[in-house]
Amino acid sequence: MTTPYKIFIWLFTILGYAAGGIIIAYILLQGIPNISTDLFAMQYTSQNVSIMPSLIATLFTILLTLLFALPIGIFTAVYLSQYAKNKTFIKLVRFSTEILSSIPSIVYGLFGYLFFVAQTGGGRGLGYSLIAGCLTVAIMILPTIIRTTEESILTVNPLQAHASLALGATKIQTIFKVVIPEAMDGILGGIFLATGRIVGESAALIYTMGTQPQIPTGLKQSARTLAVHMYVLSSEGFHVKEAYATAVLLLIFVIIINWISTRITRSLVN
């Protein structure tokens, strides 16, 4: 590679890191001084604007969304990579997933509002609720799970599957005991990538989950995640400092998720 190309690569790499570093530094400088014990109260009030109900709602949202999306996404990827023979059908599904992954989240939010919030449930709708938000976001992350899982399965050496079949294992046994374990590293990467999108999502959840700042005690109760909480505080204009503090805590939350995901991936690979 010639020297001018290396210069451009280093230049744009430095610009990329600098842009991210400036944003993170600004959030930390604005947010850390405004972190207080009131933000960690279990009960939200207009005075303490606690993040704890939103943090708990975020954890519920992650678990429920993955519960809805993972079986559909993984089994779809297994079918496309191991069973589907019609190339036109496979290309159509892949094209559809690419289109779905490029749709803005606000469009998903409007769909979720019209279908889950207003229509589902005997014509009365689910209302602004935890389950409506999770179902909407589950549809959003399906393309990510399908594509990453399929690509991971396709990278597995086919000789391993052939050896398993030659030893008398059925195809379904080979898939779940040989192929998927070998592809687990990439599958987990897609899952954690989808988890990051769940944590950072706000537009779709505002239209489906609502903005109720309390700990949800049922699937049909409204709630707000950390990202929605931060958006509401900043848009109201009365608690902008607390919004920056929430951004810092959201950043820490994402770092913890990434650290846990890395540890899990390394333990499974090794």
Side-chain angles (χ1 to χ4, degrees), residues 30-169:
Q30 294 290 329
I32 290 178
N34 297 302
I35 296 176
S36 63
T37 55
D38 290 339
L39 288 175
F40 299 96
M42 293 303 296
Q43 188 71 25
Y44 174 94
T45 65
S46 57
Q47 286 75 36
N48 62 26
V49 291
S50 172
I51 69 162
M52 288 305 295
S54 299
L55 178 61
I56 295 172
T58 302
L59 294 174
F60 285 159
T61 303
I62 292 172
L63 294 175
L64 284 174
T65 302
L66 293 179
L67 181 65
F68 294 140
L70 285 184
I72 299 174
I74 292 176
F75 289 138
T76 300
V78 169
Y79 176 78
L80 290 175
S81 59
Q82 301 294 316
Y83 289 98
K85 302 299 182 183
N86 191 320
K87 292 184 179 180
T88 303
F89 173 76
I90 295 174
K91 289 181 180 179
L92 179 62
V93 174
R94 289 175 179 172
F95 177 74
S96 300
T97 56
E98 294 294 337
I99 293 297
L100 287 173
S101 63
S102 62
I103 295 176
S105 58
I106 189 68
V107 177
Y108 282 104
L110 291 173
F111 165 79
Y113 172 78
L114 293 173
F115 187 76
F116 295 119
V117 176
Q119 297 297 328
T120 305
R124 293 174 296 176
L126 297 171
Y128 292 107
S129 59
L130 183 65
I131 189 171
C134 292
L135 288 171
T136 303
V137 180
I139 297 173
M140 290 179 59
I141 66 173
L142 267 178
T144 301
I145 295 175
I146 292 173
R147 294 298 291 142
T148 54
T149 303
E150 184 187 4
E151 292 296 332
S152 300
I153 292 175
L154 291 175
T155 59
V156 176
N157 191 340
L159 293 178
Q160 292 179 292
H162 293 162
S164 175
L165 294 171
L167 291 172

